[in-house]
Amino acid sequence: MYDEAFMRRAIEISAEALATPGTEPFGAVIVRDGKIVGEGINRSLMNHDPTSHGETEAIRDACRNLGSVDLRGCDLYSSCEPCPLCVAAMNIAGIATLYYAADMGQAGTALGDLPEAARFPVDVGRMTRECGRAVTDRDMPAEQHMDAEAFAILTDWAATARGRL
């Protein structure tokens, strides 16, 4: 169930970018059982990491704090509608519900006229289209090599994991 206090915290985190070099104004919190278990701000520039979005940083923080990669039952509050990368991370982690403030259109309006050097060159529409395509149908060329070797390791690891269950 939506709680305005958690959205206010996500927006407050995003505002830290106004005074923190290397961050961008995208904040997120993860909530479980009415308590914040993870927080994050976009640190892509600071960390030289294009995956260091507010949502992914909040997921990493929550996983560390909970000692688990399973965030089922957690909700994520974001200051801005998440990109496909972050949505994928939320699905992998098991986030139950997403609540967001600004949408992609609002973000585009606010950030769209920045000089190229001042913004990360992401075409969210293209990223959304590419993520939904099979690897062989994407614009980015992809080639498969050494699949038998990789498959053998996957099979061996799965057998070991089954033995631990």
Side-chain angles (χ1 to χ4, degrees), residues 77-144:
Y77 289 76
S78 179
S79 65
C80 188
E81 179 183 355
C83 74
L85 167 91
C86 294
V87 172
M90 286 182 247
N91 279 284
I92 291 167
I95 296 295
T97 305
L98 163 67
Y99 302 102
Y100 64 96
D103 63 29
M104 287 288 185
Q106 292 169 310
T109 297
L111 306 175
D113 65 349
L114 286 173
E116 189 66 30
R119 62 183 164 93
F120 192 74
V122 173
D123 179 343
V124 175
R126 179 178 179 270
M127 188 168 35
T128 301
R129 287 187 307 277
E130 286 289 285
C131 289
R133 292 179 179 163
V135 69
T136 55
D137 297 332
R138 295 181 187 147
D139 291 340
M140 179 188 298
E143 297 179 6
Q144 184 177 23

Side-chain angles (χ1 to χ4, degrees), residues 12-21 23-26 41-42:
E12 180 180 288
I13 291 168
S14 76
E16 292 175 15
L18 297 171
T20 307
T23 63
E24 296 182 31
F26 303 98
I41 188 169
N42 184 307

Side-chain angles (χ1 to χ4, degrees), residues 40-55:
I41 188 169
N42 184 307
R43 291 184 176 90
S44 292
L45 299 173
M46 179 187 296
N47 293 342
H48 307 287
D49 177 356
T51 69
S52 184
H53 295 189
E55 297 88 351

